[in-house]
Amino acid sequence: RVLSLELNKDRDVERLHGSGINTLDIEPVEGRYMLSGGSDGVIVLYDLENLSRKPNYTCKALCSVGRNHPDVHRFSVETVQWYPHDTGMFTSSSFDKTLKIWDTNTLQPADVFHFEGTVYSHHMSPVATKHCLIAVGTKSPKVKLCDLKSGSCSHILQGHRQEVLAVSWSPRHEYVLATASADSRVKLWDVRRASGCLSTLDQHNGEKSKASSEAANTAHNGRVNGLCYTSDGLYLLTIGTDDRMRLWNSSTGENTLVNYGKVCNESRKGVKFTISYGCNPEFAFLPCGSTIAVYTIFTGELVTMLRGHYNTVDCCVFQPNFQ
């Protein structure tokens, strides 16, 4: 099914955004509602379900936080995410240095977290039952963990040297977090540990730097601006401004050395890419200019380019229910 993906001729999405769309998220409960965040601060909520049962239909926008909403983000929304356990709540973060927790029914913010710098990325664990921490990557090298229960920033993870462009919780271990930074490094953390950092991924698997310390380990030769775990959490895919994509064994931290060739990466901020769910083998979907490049993640083969947009693609999301 994935190999024959093409632009849908009978489904469309109502157009409410007047400027670029940076981020999308489909809720994991029913796979029915989708959020989008725009570069003008607007957030839109769509119903993807075809209730009319007609073959041709448009996914309706149910509601939006528009420019005239009193609590709209002042600048570009970089990440939107549904609360993983129910659709009554969602989160958004923005270049206006805030992370907002929204009540879906009233479209009012239940909480707002403020940061010193631009917020590039945030993520809530899809599997956590024992904590309610939101990981936040900002212009600061410190990774912030905001606790939904207490409404405050509970921990800070220190170790990166430059801004943190992407964060992602493991879908397998609820206390494990991956972070990617402009300092060329990807770090894995156990947020229960005082020292925090479990490992810093090394593209050379220790070959080059036997003499030097872990501090020298780099994942890419450039800014690392994208992270994505496979759905089972066993592997982590990273991309960097060195036009490379790397697949890592997430338990050993080893670079699997899959060669994807030159991978298009024109983004100066975080890249929102995704991996298929429940396919064999799994595929990575990566925005590339005005197309989406589709790679087989374990062989590195560029399978196809999905065409249809007329301008730069900023993000993509995979609907697992229908692949």
Side-chain angles (χ1 to χ4, degrees):
R1 219 182 248 179
V2 171
L3 291 173
S4 58
L5 266 179
E6 55 178 64
L7 189 59
N8 204 317
K9 295 178 185 69
D10 39 38
R11 278 179 86 154
D12 210 348
V13 182
E14 191 178 347
R15 183 172 169 181
L16 253 69
H17 285 283
S19 65
I21 298 165
N22 295 327
T23 170
L24 294 170
D25 191 43
I26 297 173
E27 44 87 13
V29 185
E30 300 176 77
R32 173 173 174 180
Y33 299 104
M34 182 171 77
L35 290 165
S36 62
S39 54
D40 55 0
V42 170
I43 298 169
V44 183
L45 198 167
Y46 307 89
D47 186 349
L48 301 178
E49 189 106 342
N50 180 9
L51 296 171
S52 72
R53 301 276 172 248
K54 292 182 182 141
N56 290 21
Y57 79 104
T58 297
C59 301
K60 286 277 172 249
L62 296 182
C63 56
S64 69
V65 179
R67 287 306 315 153
N68 51 4
H69 189 289
D71 299 296
V72 67
H73 281 290
R74 294 202 325 279
F75 303 127
S76 174
V77 174
E78 292 299 301
T79 313
V80 288
Q81 190 192 1
W82 286 101
Y83 179 61
H85 307 296
D86 73 66
T87 55
M89 187 162 86
F90 66 88
T91 56
S92 63
S93 61
S94 161
F95 277 1
D96 68 8
K97 308 179 184 178
T98 65
L99 163 70
K100 295 187 179 186
I101 317 298
W102 299 85
D103 177 322
T104 312
N105 300 311
T106 63
L107 279 195
Q108 298 300 316
D111 212 341
V112 181
F113 294 91
H114 296 270
F115 303 93
E116 282 108 72
T118 303
V119 183
Y120 288 106
S121 170
H122 78 270
H123 192 230
M124 276 178 286
S125 167
V127 294
T129 53
K130 299 184 187 71
H131 72 77
C132 281
L133 297 172
I134 306 178
V136 186
T138 69
K139 215 162 180 67
S140 152
K142 297 172 182 159
V143 180
K144 313 286 193 310
L145 298 178
C146 297
D147 192 340
L148 269 185
K149 285 203 179 87
S150 69
S152 66
C153 270
S154 57
H155 316 27
I156 286 175
L157 305 175
Q158 301 203 46
H160 282 297
R161 296 174 190 177
Q162 289 181 46
E163 53 196 4
V164 178
L165 299 170
V167 294
S168 181
W169 292 97
S170 160
R172 193 177 190 85
H173 305 290
E174 66 173 288
Y175 293 106
V176 173
L177 175 70
T179 59
S181 165
D183 65 8
S184 308
R185 290 176 177 81
V186 172
K187 289 183 179 285
L188 300 179
W189 314 80
D190 181 333
V191 299
R192 293 168 300 185
R193 287 173 34 159
S195 61
C197 190
L198 290 171
S199 63
T200 303
L201 299 184
D202 174 21
Q203 58 182 307
H204 304 296
N205 287 336
E207 301 293 313
K208 267 198 171 164
S209 55
K210 288 232 162 59
S212 60
S213 68
E214 191 197 63
N217 293 353
T218 57
H220 288 266
N221 302 325
R223 299 154 65 87
V224 191
N225 57 355
L227 285 176
C228 193
Y229 274 99
T230 52
S231 58
D232 57 15
L234 293 176
Y235 292 90
L236 178 65
L237 206 52
T238 63
I239 55 176
T241 55
D242 54 359
D243 293 329
R244 288 281 175 262
M245 180 155 70
R246 295 204 164 89
L247 183 71
W248 309 82
N249 177 318
S250 62
S251 54
T252 64
E254 192 177 357
N255 179 0
T256 61
L257 303 175
V258 174
N259 181 6
Y260 300 94
K262 185 175 189 284
V263 173
C264 162
N265 180 357
E266 294 163 3
S267 179
R268 293 191 302 284
K269 50 189 188 179
V271 174
K272 313 283 184 190
F273 69 107
T274 194
I275 296 179
S276 62
Y277 184 104
C279 305
N280 184 20
E282 299 289 12
F283 300 93
F285 300 92
L286 194 67
C288 176
S290 63
T291 67
I292 298 109
V294 184
Y295 290 90
T296 318
I297 69 170
F298 295 113
T299 65
E301 183 191 354
L302 175 59
V303 186
T304 183
M305 305 286 275
L306 303 176
R307 302 177 194 282
H309 286 286
Y310 297 113
N311 211 327
T312 314
V313 179
D314 291 322
C315 54
C316 50
V317 65
F318 188 76
Q319 218 302 16
N321 302 15
F322 310 107
Q323 296 176 333

